[in-house]
């Protein structure tokens, strides 16, 4: 039986990871005594007993916990970090198994895996196949308007929405410095910084990440079918191996419900287009707490432990 300690299990991501792991008989989850929750020695003891530690912490605290693991004597546990502290670190494997050929195997073998950010998961899922196929140049300027449920915004945002104190829809990070941008660029292959415009709406879970395109501004002047084909080819192998990314046809009504994949680990990509106007929008849909957080962490845990 694999032994796992979730450092920060009381937060939204930690609680959902624990709930998902509780359904797996091959895993035992250790919990810290609430009385000793702030005792570093109690945390150190649990880390030393675990096969794998999941970090559900703010970045600074995650860095401190990794340092604590580094100081352990003897065998050290493997790590899945759900913070943004190590997502662009060269010594950590990016925990998006469907990213590219070899990524699934890299996660399986890794001692340290950085879980992707929720928005970044959608953006990279769209962009990486189109960049690899040469349809979108690496230096092409792109815009990524996106919307998420409020559960990804931390305790104060969740409390405000559930108390009816927050706006129904709100654009944010308008200083254009969102912390997900570096990983979006690193793992999509883009060299020009994307214009990322996130928003939060009055629903708990769900996410849409959008990539609008003027098709004639792309070098090869592709059609929507070319985008769909490139995306489908990119994910064909990982989908056959049990990956969670699927390229789907357009909806008949031209609408897309942001909440449809809630409580799953699925990510769906669709290409909508107006060929007469030579415009298209590629949309990734996911649960920001599923493939965008807890679900992705559990997927990585299963791969690392061979479950």
């Amino acid at each position: 039986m694999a032994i796992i300690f979730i450092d920060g299990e009381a937060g939204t991501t930690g609680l959902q990871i624990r709930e998902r792991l509780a359904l797996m008989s091959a895993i035992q989850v250790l919990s810290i005594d609430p009385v000793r929750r702030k005792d570093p020695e109690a945390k150190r003891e649990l880390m030393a007993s675990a096969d794998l530690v999941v970090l559900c912490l703010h970045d600074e605290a995650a860095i401190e916990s990794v340092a604590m693991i580094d100081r352990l004597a003897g065998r050290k546990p493997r790590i899945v970090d759900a913070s943004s502290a190590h997502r662009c670190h060269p010594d950590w494997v990016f925990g998006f198994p469907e990213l590219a050929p070899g990524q699934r195997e890299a996660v399986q073998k890794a001692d340290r895996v950085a879980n992707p950010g929720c928005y970044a998961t959608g953006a990279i899922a769209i962009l990486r196949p189109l960049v690899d196929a040469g349809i979108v140049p690496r230096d092409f300027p792109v815009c990524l308007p996106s919307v998420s449920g409020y559960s990804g915004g931390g305790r104060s945002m969740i409390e405000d929405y559930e108390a009816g104190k927050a706006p129904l829809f709100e654009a944010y990070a308008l200083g254009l410095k969102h912390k997900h941008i570096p990983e979006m660029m690193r793992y999509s292959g883009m060299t020009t910084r994307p214009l990322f415009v996130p928003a939060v709406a009055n629903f708990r879970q769900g996410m849409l990440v959008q990539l609008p395109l003027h098709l004639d501004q792309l070098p090869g002047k592709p059609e929507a079918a070319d985008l769909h084909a490139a995306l489908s080819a990119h994910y064909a192998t990982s989908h056959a191996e049990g990956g969670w990314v699927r390229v789907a046809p357009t909806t008949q009504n031209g609408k897309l419900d942001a909440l449809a994949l809630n409580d799953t680990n699925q990510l769906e990509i669709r290409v909508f287009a107006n060929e007469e106007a030579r415009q298209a929008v590629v949309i990734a849909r996911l649960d920001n707490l599923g493939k965008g957080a807890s679900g992705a962490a559990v997927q990585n845990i299963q791969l690392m432990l061979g479950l």
Side-chain angles (χ1 to χ4, degrees):
M1 180 173 288
I3 300 173
I4 293 178
F5 171 55
I6 304 172
D7 190 3
E9 70 170 17
T12 303
T13 300
L15 286 171
Q16 287 221 350
I17 291 174
R18 185 178 181 85
E19 289 174 2
R20 292 169 186 252
L21 294 179
L23 302 175
M24 301 178 190
S25 59
I27 289 177
Q28 176 188 353
V29 180
L30 303 178
S31 288
I32 197 164
D33 184 337
V35 178
R36 301 184 67 192
R37 187 169 58 86
K38 295 186 179 181
D39 181 355
E41 184 57 35
K43 181 189 289 191
R44 189 178 295 108
E45 291 171 3
L46 291 170
M47 288 177 167
S49 302
D51 298 304
L52 188 147
V53 173
V54 185
L55 305 179
C56 299
L57 306 165
H58 296 297
D59 288 6
E60 290 183 5
I63 291 169
E64 291 174 1
S65 287
V66 171
M68 183 179 289
I69 290 172
D70 285 339
R71 292 192 295 269
L72 292 174
R75 182 191 64 88
K76 295 175 175 57
R78 299 165 85 182
I79 308 171
V80 172
D81 184 7
S83 81
S84 61
H86 299 101
R87 289 174 185 159
C88 293
H89 196 291
D91 295 335
W92 288 65
V93 172
F94 193 59
F96 190 0
E98 300 89 351
L99 177 68
Q103 194 70 17
R104 175 188 174 92
E105 291 74 17
V107 172
Q108 288 174 323
K109 297 174 182 177
D111 288 326
R112 300 188 173 190
V113 170
N115 221 47
C118 52
Y119 284 118
T121 296
I124 294 164
I126 292 171
L127 283 168
R128 179 62 178 264
L130 300 179
V131 170
D132 284 356
I135 292 175
V136 173
R138 295 179 184 275
D139 61 352
F140 193 76
V142 301
C143 182
L144 297 164
S146 307
V147 63
S148 173
Y150 59 77
S151 56
R155 181 173 299 174
S156 61
M157 179 180 285
I158 293 171
E159 290 175 351
D160 284 349
Y161 268 96
E162 294 185 346
K165 297 179 181 178
L168 296 180
F169 185 95
E170 185 175 41
Y172 69 100
L174 294 176
L176 306 180
K177 297 179 181 179
H178 198 283
K179 66 179 182 180
H180 287 179
I181 293 175
E183 65 185 286
M184 288 180 184
M185 295 182 66
R186 181 180 179 90
Y187 297 105
S188 69
M190 298 294 294
T191 57
T192 295
R193 183 184 180 90
L195 183 56
F196 173 49
V197 187
V200 61
N202 190 27
F203 51 86
R204 181 173 176 81
Q205 293 168 237
M207 174 171 284
L208 298 176
V209 180
Q210 305 172 72
L211 172 66
L213 293 168
H214 290 277
L215 297 174
D216 286 341
Q217 291 183 359
L218 293 168
K221 301 191 177 191
E223 296 182 352
D226 299 319
L227 305 182
H228 183 94
L231 291 160
S232 297
H234 187 94
Y235 291 112
T237 300
S238 65
H239 188 66
E241 293 174 342
W244 292 95
V245 179
R246 183 174 79 94
V247 181
T250 59
T251 57
Q252 290 185 349
N253 63 3
K255 299 179 181 180
L256 203 59
D257 178 5
L259 284 63
L261 297 182
N262 284 1
D263 301 316
T264 78
N265 197 44
Q266 298 174 35
L267 187 156
E268 293 178 347
I269 302 174
R270 287 177 170 82
V271 180
F272 296 87
N274 179 338
E275 288 290 358
E276 290 182 5
R278 300 292 293 143
Q279 294 177 330
V281 58
V282 187
I283 304 180
R285 174 168 67 179
L286 64 156
D287 178 357
N288 61 293
L289 295 183
K291 186 62 170 165
S294 307
V298 172
Q299 179 186 4
N300 290 322
I301 291 167
Q302 289 177 292
L303 288 172
M304 293 169 76
L305 298 178
L307 300 178

